[in-house]
């Protein structure tokens, strides 16, 4: 393991850390920087609980190394602009246990940023990598559609 000093741009702020460049960014965010909103789920990039944005694109924090994000903008659930989406999440009673919600919202926010009025198929495709053990998929889709509709009307 090689420890080196790296500067990360997270939620618009620079953080200088000493860590192995191969460390998953998830652990740097949670254990070094102290942003615990991004969750560890499976560690294999399959569940989506660790979804972050890197230069606006959704990525799995458990599979993305520090060296892959140096010089790029990392956005976590703590820094994402998704107030309207969060409001729809609450209005449609999406959260159950809540564990997957940060990753779900990050994937949905990335979708709406690139596709303001997504079709059902586009929503399904964008959200396919996010697992909800509570099975709130119909409510997740309804909340995304409602946020898109409200955005379109604004």
């Amino acid at each position: 393991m090689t420890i080196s000093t790296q500067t990360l741009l997270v939620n618009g702020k620079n953080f200088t850390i000493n860590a192995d460049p191969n460390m998953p960014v998830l652990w740097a965010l949670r254990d070094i920087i102290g942003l615990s909103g991004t969750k560890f789920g499976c560690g294999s990039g399959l569940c989506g609980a660790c979804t972050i944005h890197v230069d606006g694109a959704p990525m799995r924090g458990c599979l993305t190394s520090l060296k892959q994000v140096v010089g790029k903008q990392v956005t976590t659930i703590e820094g994402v602009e998704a107030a309207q989406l969060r409001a729809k999440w609450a209005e449609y009673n999406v959260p159950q246990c809540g564990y997957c919600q940060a990753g779900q919202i990050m994937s949905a926010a990335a979708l709406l940023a690139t596709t303001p009025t997504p079709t059902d198929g586009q929503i399904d495709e964008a959200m396919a990598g996010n697992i909800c053990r509570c099975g709130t998929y119909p409510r997740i889709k309804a909340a995304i559609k409602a946020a898109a509709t409200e955005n379109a009307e604004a």
Side-chain angles (χ1 to χ4, degrees), residues 40-51 59-64 128-131:
F40 173 77
C42 66
S44 300
L46 303 172
C47 73
C50 65
T51 302
M59 296 185 80
R60 301 298 189 246
C62 71
L63 297 179
T64 306
N130 292 83
I131 296 172

Side-chain angles (χ1 to χ4, degrees), residues 21-137:
N22 294 310
M23 169 191 277
V25 71
L26 169 67
W27 300 119
L29 292 170
R30 291 183 59 80
D31 296 342
I32 299 173
I33 297 173
L35 296 172
S36 59
T38 304
K39 304 298 184 206
F40 173 77
C42 66
S44 300
L46 303 172
C47 73
C50 65
T51 302
I52 57 173
H53 294 174
V54 178
D55 287 343
M59 296 185 80
R60 301 298 189 246
C62 71
L63 297 179
T64 306
S65 68
L66 287 175
K67 67 184 172 189
Q68 291 175 282
V69 301
V70 170
K72 298 179 180 177
Q73 168 67 313
V74 176
T75 306
T76 68
I77 190 68
E78 291 92 347
V80 72
E81 297 288 330
Q84 186 176 40
L85 188 57
R86 291 175 202 240
K88 293 301 176 191
W89 232 248
E91 181 182 330
Y92 283 80
N93 296 311
V94 173
Q96 293 294 302
C97 78
Y99 199 81
C100 72
Q101 298 310 299
Q104 297 275 4
I105 289 171
M106 294 300 287
S107 291
L111 169 65
L112 293 176
T114 60
T115 311
T117 54
T119 64
D120 284 351
Q122 290 169 315
I123 293 171
D124 291 343
E125 184 178 331
M127 302 304 291
N130 292 83
I131 296 172
C132 175
R133 291 182 180 173
C134 301
T136 64
Y137 300 111

